[in-house]
Amino acid sequence: ASAYFGHDKSPFPDVPASSAWYNAIMNVTTRSIMETELSGEFRPDDALNGAEAILAVRVLRQKLNIY
């Protein structure tokens, strides 16, 4: 739950390592539940469209083996 606390540098240009949601973003991206833009931005302040939400939930369900 806190594996990414204390990082000095963020791999995302739009999410600093000191932000409140940095650990959660690192968890979903390193586990391939959600993806960044081609530019490497995660866009935490933008709205999530329906297709992205459905894909993220589907991948999470597959990883948890919930059918």
Side-chain angles (χ1 to χ4, degrees):
S2 60
Y4 301 101
F5 289 148
H7 279 187
D8 294 329
K9 186 174 178 186
S10 171
F12 313 106
D14 59 340
V15 180
S18 60
S19 71
W21 51 81
Y22 176 75
N23 191 57
I25 291 172
M26 287 298 294
N27 276 308
V28 297
T29 54
T30 58
R31 294 177 178 158
S32 300
I33 296 170
M34 296 182 78
E35 297 179 354
T36 62
E37 293 292 315
L38 293 176
S39 64
E41 294 179 337
F42 190 77
R43 303 179 354 247
D45 295 326
D46 290 353
L48 186 67
N49 69 35
E52 290 174 324
I54 290 171
L55 180 61
V57 170
R58 183 176 179 207
V59 170
L60 180 61
R61 286 181 64 186
Q62 288 175 345
K63 293 200 179 281
L64 295 174
N65 293 323
I66 299 173
Y67 297 101

